[in-house]
Amino acid sequence: LDTPGKKVYEFDYRYLTSDVPYGLLVIKGIAELVECPTPTIDAVIVWAQKQIGREWLVDGKVAGRDLDKTRAPQRYGILTLEDFMLGADA
């Protein structure tokens, strides 16, 4: 690893461990509720989850085993736009 000219990437960093589950997954989760495709966001999430050993997206849906470590609406059982809007009244 100390070989000159070699780069070592540190993926266990805030941009992946926090910004993805508390940012991108919220956006992806809401987009899923309104049936809006997010191919670029999906690609970033899939790449990030591979780098840090998490699972948030399964077959393009916010439903992975690490969903409990996000702020996506699906974590809270919000699975429809109606559920989401009901929460806005609270």
Side-chain angles (χ1 to χ4, degrees):
L1 295 175
D2 291 329
T3 306
K6 296 284 182 175
K7 292 184 179 183
V8 178
Y9 295 98
E10 179 63 52
F11 292 111
D12 189 27
Y13 195 68
R14 179 184 68 89
Y15 297 114
L16 295 182
T17 60
S18 292
D19 291 356
V20 175
Y22 300 114
L24 278 182
L25 273 148
V26 175
I27 295 167
K28 169 62 181 175
I30 294 169
E32 193 173 296
L33 298 178
V34 298
E35 300 178 4
C36 179
T38 56
T40 304
I41 289 174
D42 293 1
V44 171
I45 293 170
V46 168
W47 178 84
Q49 69 186 15
K50 286 180 186 175
Q51 302 309 312
I52 60 174
R54 299 283 192 273
E55 181 185 75
W56 298 305
L57 288 187
V58 176
D59 297 326
K61 300 289 183 189
V62 179
R65 72 174 180 268
D66 295 308
L67 188 58
D68 64 326
K69 297 173 186 75
T70 75
R71 295 291 185 259
Q74 291 79 353
R75 171 193 180 183
Y76 304 101
I78 299 171
L79 304 176
T80 66
L81 182 57
E82 292 75 25
D83 293 342
F84 187 76
M85 296 309 292
L86 285 173
D89 291 335

mmCIF file of all heavy atoms in Angstrom, residues 2 15 17 25 28 31 46 49 52 69-70 77 88 90:
data_model
loop_
_atom_site.group_PDB
_atom_site.id
_atom_site.type_symbol
_atom_site.label_atom_id
_atom_site.label_comp_id
_atom_site.label_asym_id
_atom_site.label_seq_id
_atom_site.Cartn_x
_atom_site.Cartn_y
_atom_site.Cartn_z
ATOM 1 N N ASP A 2 2.085 1.163 0.409
ATOM 2 C CA ASP A 2 2.958 2.331 0.410
ATOM 3 C C ASP A 2 3.784 2.415 -0.866
ATOM 4 O O ASP A 2 4.787 3.105 -0.914
ATOM 5 C CB ASP A 2 3.892 2.291 1.624
ATOM 6 C CG ASP A 2 3.126 2.512 2.920
ATOM 7 O OD1 ASP A 2 2.118 3.233 2.887
ATOM 8 O OD2 ASP A 2 3.540 1.965 3.950
ATOM 9 N N TYR A 15 -19.188 10.840 2.936
ATOM 10 C CA TYR A 15 -19.914 11.006 1.673
ATOM 11 C C TYR A 15 -20.684 9.743 1.291
ATOM 12 O O TYR A 15 -21.701 9.818 0.620
ATOM 13 C CB TYR A 15 -18.971 11.416 0.546
ATOM 14 C CG TYR A 15 -18.326 12.755 0.797
ATOM 15 C CD1 TYR A 15 -16.962 12.864 1.004
ATOM 16 C CD2 TYR A 15 -19.098 13.907 0.857
ATOM 17 C CE1 TYR A 15 -16.366 14.095 1.252
ATOM 18 C CE2 TYR A 15 -18.521 15.141 1.112
ATOM 19 C CZ TYR A 15 -17.158 15.226 1.298
ATOM 20 O OH TYR A 15 -16.585 16.439 1.559
ATOM 21 N N THR A 17 -21.136 6.982 3.818
ATOM 22 C CA THR A 17 -21.796 6.407 4.995
ATOM 23 C C THR A 17 -22.929 7.269 5.542
ATOM 24 O O THR A 17 -23.795 6.759 6.254
ATOM 25 C CB THR A 17 -20.774 6.141 6.122
ATOM 26 O OG1 THR A 17 -20.154 7.374 6.501
ATOM 27 C CG2 THR A 17 -19.722 5.146 5.671
ATOM 28 N N LEU A 25 -31.040 8.386 -0.383
ATOM 29 C CA LEU A 25 -32.104 7.397 -0.174
ATOM 30 C C LEU A 25 -33.435 8.042 0.203
ATOM 31 O O LEU A 25 -34.491 7.486 -0.097
ATOM 32 C CB LEU A 25 -31.690 6.344 0.849
ATOM 33 C CG LEU A 25 -30.932 5.218 0.146
ATOM 34 C CD1 LEU A 25 -29.884 4.611 1.013
ATOM 35 C CD2 LEU A 25 -31.906 4.187 -0.364
ATOM 36 N N LYS A 28 -34.624 9.106 -3.258
ATOM 37 C CA LYS A 28 -35.028 7.904 -3.979
ATOM 38 C C LYS A 28 -36.348 7.368 -3.417
ATOM 39 O O LYS A 28 -37.240 6.966 -4.172
ATOM 40 C CB LYS A 28 -33.930 6.835 -3.893
ATOM 41 C CG LYS A 28 -34.329 5.460 -4.367
ATOM 42 C CD LYS A 28 -34.727 5.439 -5.826
ATOM 43 C CE LYS A 28 -35.144 4.022 -6.236
ATOM 44 N NZ LYS A 28 -35.642 3.977 -7.601
ATOM 45 N N ALA A 31 -39.194 9.593 -4.550
ATOM 46 C CA ALA A 31 -39.397 9.395 -5.987
ATOM 47 C C ALA A 31 -40.119 8.079 -6.253
ATOM 48 O O ALA A 31 -40.984 8.002 -7.135
ATOM 49 C CB ALA A 31 -38.049 9.428 -6.710
ATOM 50 N N VAL A 46 -26.379 2.059 -5.878
ATOM 51 C CA VAL A 46 -25.870 0.695 -6.095
ATOM 52 C C VAL A 46 -24.350 0.673 -5.974
ATOM 53 O O VAL A 46 -23.775 -0.205 -5.326
ATOM 54 C CB VAL A 46 -26.346 0.143 -7.459
ATOM 55 C CG1 VAL A 46 -25.598 -1.124 -7.831
ATOM 56 C CG2 VAL A 46 -27.848 -0.114 -7.424
ATOM 57 N N GLN A 49 -23.400 1.240 -2.187
ATOM 58 C CA GLN A 49 -23.669 0.099 -1.304
ATOM 59 C C GLN A 49 -22.658 -1.018 -1.528
ATOM 60 O O GLN A 49 -22.293 -1.716 -0.586
ATOM 61 C CB GLN A 49 -25.114 -0.370 -1.416
ATOM 62 C CG GLN A 49 -25.532 -1.018 -2.691
ATOM 63 C CD GLN A 49 -27.035 -1.326 -2.742
ATOM 64 O OE1 GLN A 49 -27.834 -0.828 -1.957
ATOM 65 N NE2 GLN A 49 -27.405 -2.160 -3.688
ATOM 66 N N ILE A 52 -19.302 -0.007 0.424
ATOM 67 C CA ILE A 52 -19.275 -0.029 1.891
ATOM 68 C C ILE A 52 -20.030 -1.203 2.504
ATOM 69 O O ILE A 52 -20.236 -1.244 3.713
ATOM 70 C CB ILE A 52 -19.761 1.314 2.482
ATOM 71 C CG1 ILE A 52 -21.191 1.635 2.067
ATOM 72 C CG2 ILE A 52 -18.814 2.437 2.085
ATOM 73 C CD1 ILE A 52 -21.760 2.869 2.733
ATOM 74 N N LYS A 69 -31.142 1.797 8.612
ATOM 75 C CA LYS A 69 -30.058 2.754 8.843
ATOM 76 C C LYS A 69 -30.166 3.936 7.888
ATOM 77 O O LYS A 69 -29.173 4.592 7.592
ATOM 78 C CB LYS A 69 -28.718 2.054 8.700
ATOM 79 C CG LYS A 69 -28.504 0.951 9.717
ATOM 80 C CD LYS A 69 -27.229 0.172 9.420
ATOM 81 C CE LYS A 69 -27.091 -1.019 10.328
ATOM 82 N NZ LYS A 69 -27.983 -2.121 9.972
ATOM 83 N N THR A 70 -31.379 4.208 7.383
ATOM 84 C CA THR A 70 -31.615 5.325 6.475
ATOM 85 C C THR A 70 -32.746 6.185 7.012
ATOM 86 O O THR A 70 -33.350 5.864 8.034
ATOM 87 C CB THR A 70 -32.018 4.830 5.066
ATOM 88 O OG1 THR A 70 -33.371 4.358 5.102
ATOM 89 C CG2 THR A 70 -31.102 3.732 4.560
ATOM 90 N N GLY A 77 -42.397 2.571 7.155
ATOM 91 C CA GLY A 77 -43.621 1.932 6.715
ATOM 92 C C GLY A 77 -44.446 2.787 5.770
ATOM 93 O O GLY A 77 -45.604 2.468 5.487
ATOM 94 N N ALA A 88 -47.590 14.204 6.689
ATOM 95 C CA ALA A 88 -47.389 15.649 6.616
ATOM 96 C C ALA A 88 -48.354 16.399 7.525
ATOM 97 O O ALA A 88 -48.070 17.503 7.972
ATOM 98 C CB ALA A 88 -47.537 16.130 5.177
ATOM 99 N N ALA A 90 -49.168 15.408 10.504
ATOM 100 C CA ALA A 90 -48.824 15.168 11.907
ATOM 101 C C ALA A 90 -48.055 16.295 12.521
ATOM 102 O O ALA A 90 -47.477 17.117 11.947
ATOM 103 C CB ALA A 90 -48.017 13.874 12.023
#
